[in-house]
Amino acid sequence: MTIEEIRKIITADEHRQLELKKSTGELKEGMHSACAFLNTEGGWLIFGVTPATLKIVGQQVTDNTQREISQALSLMEPRVDVRVEYVDVPESVDKKVIALFFDGWVWGKDPCTYRGCPYYRVESTTREMPRQMFEERLKAAKPQFFAWERQQADGVGMADLNEERVRGAVRLGVENGRMPASAMTEPLDKVLSKLQLLHDGKPNNAAAMLFGTNTYEYAQFRIRLARFRGNDKNSFLDNQRVEGNFFELLDAGMAFFFKWLPLSGEIKGFVREDNLEIPSVALREALINALCHRQYERYNLTIGIAIYDDRIEIENPGFLPPQLTPETIKEPHGSIPYNPIIADVLYKTTFLESWGSGARRIMDACKEQGVPEPMWKIQSGFVVVTFPRPNGSRNGSKDDAKSDVKSNAKSNAKSGVKSDAKSGVKSGVKSDAKSDAKSNAKSNAKSNAKSNVKSNVKSNVKSNAKSDAKSDAKSNAKSNVKSDAKTTHKILTLIERAPNITISDIRKILELSDSGVRKNIGILKSQGKLRRIGPPNGGRWEVIK
C-alpha cells in the first residue's frame, strides 16, 4: 500500500466505513471501531491521521507498537486474520501510517466481540450492539442451539399434529419431484424426522406451526384481517382475527382477499380468465413469505392483512437480513430464510422456492397484469409489503356497494309497493283535479279527488301484483339456471386460485349456505369439471379442463 492510496481513502471525513486516529495512543478506542466494522459492513481503521484536519502526521513504529496492535487484535472473538499495513510518510522521516482493513459481517457467522463486548457501526459512530441484535446474530450463527423453530414444542405431542395435512403436503412434494416416493408410505414419525420436525423424538415448534391442531397456546399463530373504510384505520368494514397452523392461516388470508377485492373476467381465445385487481399469485407469495420468515419468538406480535381503499398492506414481525434493504430486495439475491426448517418444509411441499426469488415473482405477476408493483419498508419492528390498488379510493365505493347489496335488496322490496301506491295516488289526484277544475266547482273537485285516490290505489296495486307475478314466474325460471351457472363458475375460479380451499371458506366468500356449496360442487363433479384428490381434511381440489 502507498501513501497515495491512503490519501484516496481519507479524502472525506470519517464515515460508516472509515475511522481515523492520530496515533496508537487511541488503540483501545480504535479496536472498538474495528469490532464495529467486523459486525457491520467492514471498513478502514487508520492510525497517523488527524481526524479534524485529515492531515497525515504518521507516528513512530517500534517493536512495542507492533506487539500492542497484535495483542489488541487477539482480544477479538472469534479471532480475525487482519493484515496490518505500515506506510512511510514522505514528509516525516521514520514516521508511518498504520492501516487495517476489516471485512464486514456475513449472515450466519458469529458476531464479533472485543473484550467480551459487541460493537456495531451507525454512520460514523461506534456503539455497543443492542442485546436483541446480538442474540439474533447468535441464532443465525448457531441455529441448532438458539433457533425458536428447533425448540421442543410445549405441550404438543404427535397426536396434536394433523396427520392428514402432513400426508397431503408430502403427496404434493412427491408429485412434484421434491420428495422421494417412499415418503408416501413411511411412518409419520419417520417422515417428520426427515423433515427436521422432531426434537428428541417429540414435535418441535416448526412442526406445531406447520401442522399443529391445538394452537391456542401459541399467540403468534394468528393473523389480523381488516377491511378499513377509506385510507386510514378510523372505520372498519370488516375486522377479524384467525388462529391456526400455517395452512389454515394461508387459507384464511386468501379467502379474505377474495372476499373484499374486485374480481374481473377476460376472454382469451376460448377461455375466460378471472383475476383479482391485485394478482392472487402475488398476494399468496407475499403472505407465504410473511408466514415463513416472521420472528415467531416474538409471541406478542402477529401478522396483519389490512385492505384500504387505496392500498393493501401485509405486515409481519421481523426484519430483513443485513444483506437486503427495502430497495435491494427487488434485485436478484440469494435465499436467506430466518426460519430455515420451516422454509425447507415449504420448499419440499411446493409452497415455496429456495432461490430468493419471491420478491421477483411478486413483481413479475403485478407487471403481467399491468398493476403497480409493491413496495417494501421496515416500520416499528415489522416488514411491511404495500400493494397500491389500481383504482385508488374508488374501490371503497365498490366495496361499500358490495356490502350493501343485501340491505338494498330488502329496502327495494319494501319500497316497491309504497312507491307504486304513492305514484298512483299522486297521478290520480293530479289528473282528476285538472279535469274536475274545468267542469265542476271546487267542492266537487275535492270529493272526486278523494274517490279517485282510492280507486287508483286499488287498481294500481292489483295491476302491479298481476304483472309482477307474471314477470317473476318467467324470470325465476330463467334465473335459476343462470344463477347456478354463475355460482359454479365462481366456485371453479376460487378453487383454481386456491386448490386447498375448504367448503367453509367458499361458503363465507360467496355467502352461500353449506348445502348450497355442496350442491354446486356436486353439479361440477357430475359435469366432469371437478374432482377431489386426497382425504377431505388433507387433500385438494383439481379443476378438470
Side-chain angles (χ1 to χ4, degrees), residues 239-296:
N239 185 19
Q240 302 178 30
R241 188 175 71 174
V242 180
E243 62 182 38
N245 59 40
F246 168 87
F247 300 95
E248 291 165 339
L249 296 180
L250 177 61
D251 288 345
M254 293 308 298
F256 195 74
F257 288 133
F258 276 96
K259 177 180 180 181
W260 284 107
L261 298 182
L263 189 68
S264 61
E266 181 182 358
I267 303 297
K268 291 187 177 181
F270 296 99
V271 179
R272 175 187 172 90
E273 290 188 3
D274 290 310
N275 298 296
L276 291 179
E277 64 172 11
I278 303 296
S280 59
V281 173
L283 294 171
R284 185 174 186 270
E285 183 71 26
L287 181 53
I288 288 176
N289 285 340
L291 290 166
C292 175
H293 300 308
R294 70 148 288 174
Q295 289 180 296
Y296 283 100

Side-chain angles (χ1 to χ4, degrees), residues 13-14 21 37-38 90 143 159 180 183 208 212 214 257 276 324 339 356 389 421 425 429 477 489 496:
D13 290 339
E14 292 176 311
K21 298 294 182 186
F37 289 143
L38 289 165
N214 298 322
F257 288 133
L276 291 179
L324 298 177
N339 301 300
R389 297 186 67 179
V425 171
V429 171
H489 176 72
E496 283 183 326

Side-chain angles (χ1 to χ4, degrees), residues 191-209:
V191 172
L192 295 175
S193 179
K194 288 184 176 180
L195 292 173
Q196 301 182 67
L197 296 178
L198 297 182
H199 179 90
D200 293 335
K202 297 181 179 180
N204 57 22
N205 285 329
M209 188 272 153

Side-chain angles (χ1 to χ4, degrees), residues 49-65:
V49 178
T50 306
T53 62
L54 302 182
K55 182 179 179 180
I56 299 175
V57 294
Q59 74 167 71
Q60 289 186 341
V61 176
T62 64
D63 290 343
N64 187 54
T65 305

